[in-house]
Amino acid sequence: MTGRLTRAVLFLAVAALPVCLVVVPIVSILVMSVRRLVDNRISGDFSLVNYATFLTDPVYLQVLLVTLAICLGVTVTGIVLGYPIAYFIWRRRRAKYVFLLLFVLPLFMSYIVKIYTMRSILGLNGFLNQILVATGILEKPSLLFLYNKLSILLTMAVIFLPFAILPIFLSLEKIPGNLAQASADLGASPGATFRHVIFPLSAPGTVAGGLFVFVLALGDFITPQMVGGPSGFTFGRIIWSQFGLAYNWPLGAALAGVLLALSLVVIVAAGMIARQQRI
């Protein structure tokens, strides 16, 4: 009995922190989402009017679809860039952890610093425009790479790239080295070994990396605001505006609840895909 009590106390002590910091705030947001704003005051009555507003107002649905399209582009870009980088790091036998540290080092940098760095690269007088003008591709610097949806996609893809690289590398690291050797001994070419051995076994890590990138991009509102300009009105910015500018916390909480439900659907779907890859 004493042992069970001790384990129960230890479990409660360990679970108390995530419950207080994660579960309680989420529950409070969901409770707020079924309140109403009446005469600039939050009413104590429960109502689904905020969710009805989301479903009936075409602006919210349109912005959500645009946001999903951007996040999908960021995810695809992250995987397309992240997989070759992770594979390159994995193939370096002695210095792979040094290379891994170099590529994930941006995770320890300030988020705002990274955004301003991307603005300096994509801006009118940025590094990218200078290269394109110097090579003759452009006659003069262009704002094509800033204050539009393309700039949001590129900035998010670069900032969230380490979140795609790390899971892919870890999945590659779990592949036994003798499998590739056995494939080569059976006469398979390096390309065939990659297609039939390496890539299928690393697919769960690839799905996890894409999931990280998608969910992080889905809730980001700072990047669209700083590099998107008028075209950067994403669903995250709508939620931020309801909490900050409009002071309509119930509607903002309802929109956040929609985003939470959508994230859970994506996570469950990604888990099912990863499970199928393991079978």
Side-chain angles (χ1 to χ4, degrees):
M1 187 66 180
T2 304
R4 291 182 179 180
L5 181 61
T6 302
R7 287 193 295 269
V9 171
L10 291 176
F11 174 79
L12 292 176
V14 172
L17 187 61
V19 167
C20 293
L21 297 182
V22 178
V23 177
V24 172
I26 291 177
V27 172
S28 65
I29 287 292
L30 295 178
V31 171
M32 178 66 67
S33 69
V34 293
R35 304 286 189 180
R36 291 187 303 161
L37 191 67
V38 180
D39 296 330
N40 293 325
R41 297 184 64 181
I42 299 175
S43 172
D45 300 331
F46 291 97
S47 173
L48 297 177
V49 64
N50 299 306
Y51 292 99
T53 300
F54 164 74
L55 293 174
T56 56
D57 194 331
V59 174
Y60 295 125
L61 295 174
Q62 182 180 359
V63 174
L64 179 59
L65 292 177
V66 172
T67 303
L68 290 175
I70 294 175
C71 294
L72 183 60
V74 173
T75 303
V76 173
T77 305
I79 293 177
V80 170
L81 296 178
Y83 196 99
I85 294 174
Y87 186 81
F88 169 80
I89 296 173
W90 177 60
R91 297 294 293 178
R92 308 278 78 78
R93 295 183 178 180
R94 295 184 178 180
K96 59 183 176 182
Y97 293 111
V98 176
F99 281 105
L100 181 64
L101 178 61
L102 291 176
F103 279 103
V104 301
L105 195 60
L107 292 177
F108 301 96
M109 296 174 57
S110 169
Y111 190 80
I112 302 298
V113 171
K114 289 185 284 188
I115 294 179
Y116 274 109
T117 301
M118 289 300 300
R119 285 185 59 173
S120 67
I121 294 174
L122 302 175
L124 190 64
N125 298 316
F127 176 75
L128 182 58
N129 267 305
Q130 293 179 8
I131 291 295
L132 294 177
V133 172
T135 55
I137 298 177
L138 294 179
E139 295 182 359
K140 59 180 181 179
S142 172
L143 282 174
L144 175 65
F145 308 105
L146 195 61
Y147 302 128
N148 50 45
K149 293 181 177 62
L150 177 61
S151 64
I152 299 174
L153 192 152
L154 292 175
T155 302
M156 284 186 177
V158 172
I159 291 178
F160 298 139
L161 184 59
F163 292 97
I165 294 175
L166 192 56
I168 297 173
F169 171 79
L170 293 176
S171 65
L172 289 170
E173 191 74 353
K174 294 180 180 179
I175 299 176
N178 56 3
L179 289 181
Q181 185 62 43
S183 177
D185 292 340
L186 293 173
S189 64
T193 300
F194 176 80
R195 290 193 305 270
H196 299 290
V197 179
I198 303 299
F199 184 75
L201 292 177
S202 62
T206 306
V207 173
L211 177 62
F212 281 139
V213 173
F214 185 87
V215 172
L216 289 171
L218 188 62
D220 190 0
F221 66 93
I222 300 177
T223 300
Q225 182 173 353
M226 296 187 67
V227 303
S231 300
F233 203 64
T234 59
F235 203 72
R237 286 190 66 181
I238 291 182
I239 296 175
W240 169 79
S241 66
Q242 294 298 328
F243 279 104
L245 299 178
Y247 194 68
N248 192 345
W249 284 36
L251 180 58
L255 298 179
V258 171
L259 206 62
L260 174 63
L262 184 60
S263 300
L264 292 177
V265 170
V266 173
I267 291 173
V268 171
M272 294 175 62
I273 294 174
R275 193 177 301 112
Q276 290 294 327
Q277 293 294 333
R278 295 192 186 99
I279 298 177

